[in-house]
Amino acid sequence: MVDWLTMTIQMVSLAMAVWCLVSTFRDQPMLVPHLVGMGVLWLLVLSQVGVLVAAMIGGDRPDEMVMVVSYLATIALLPPACAVWGFMERSKWGPAVIAFTCFILPVLLVRIEQLWSPVV
């Protein structure tokens, strides 16, 4: 895993979560800037997924390959799915969906790191 990219994804994700929570508490629906932020986050996540897939193709495979692949699929699909859901929800709960997602992504990345390089 690329450590600086993982840390960047986690920081951007938490910043998006706070921003969306502020929008939720201010009774604002999800707007285009929220979608742009989720798009940037999704591009960062896809680059990390691409790096990990390339490493697996290159022969660097974790012990629990199926679990890592399932986590990679989850983090790749979670941002666009929740962005669509949040944008369709035209109340204050749209940004709340995004905030929930953005709090989950860092946890999933920590779990992938644990599976990728386990402590012996």
Side-chain angles (χ1 to χ4, degrees):
M1 289 187 67
V2 181
D3 291 334
W4 65 266
L5 185 56
T6 301
M7 185 63 76
T8 303
I9 293 169
Q10 290 172 335
M11 293 300 114
V12 169
S13 182
L14 292 174
M16 278 292 300
V18 169
W19 180 28
C20 288
L21 278 179
V22 169
S23 295
T24 300
F25 291 133
R26 294 177 73 192
D27 289 331
Q28 295 176 336
M30 188 170 163
L31 303 171
V32 174
H34 292 110
L35 282 178
V36 171
M38 284 304 289
V40 169
L41 180 62
W42 190 40
L43 289 176
L44 290 170
V45 167
L46 287 180
S47 61
Q48 181 73 293
V49 169
V51 166
L52 291 176
V53 168
M56 285 190 279
I57 291 172
D60 188 16
R61 297 200 170 134
D63 293 335
E64 297 185 33
M65 181 75 159
V66 174
M67 187 68 72
V68 170
V69 170
S70 67
Y71 276 116
L72 289 177
T74 301
I75 67 168
L77 297 175
L78 196 62
C82 288
V84 169
W85 182 10
F87 196 67
M88 286 174 32
E89 179 64 42
R90 299 307 298 166
S91 68
K92 70 175 186 175
W93 298 112
V97 170
I98 300 303
F100 181 73
T101 301
C102 290
F103 281 129
I104 290 175
L105 274 176
V107 175
L108 291 174
L109 286 169
V110 167
R111 184 65 184 133
I112 291 172
E113 178 67 36
Q114 290 171 346
L115 291 172
W116 191 265
S117 51
V119 178
V120 179

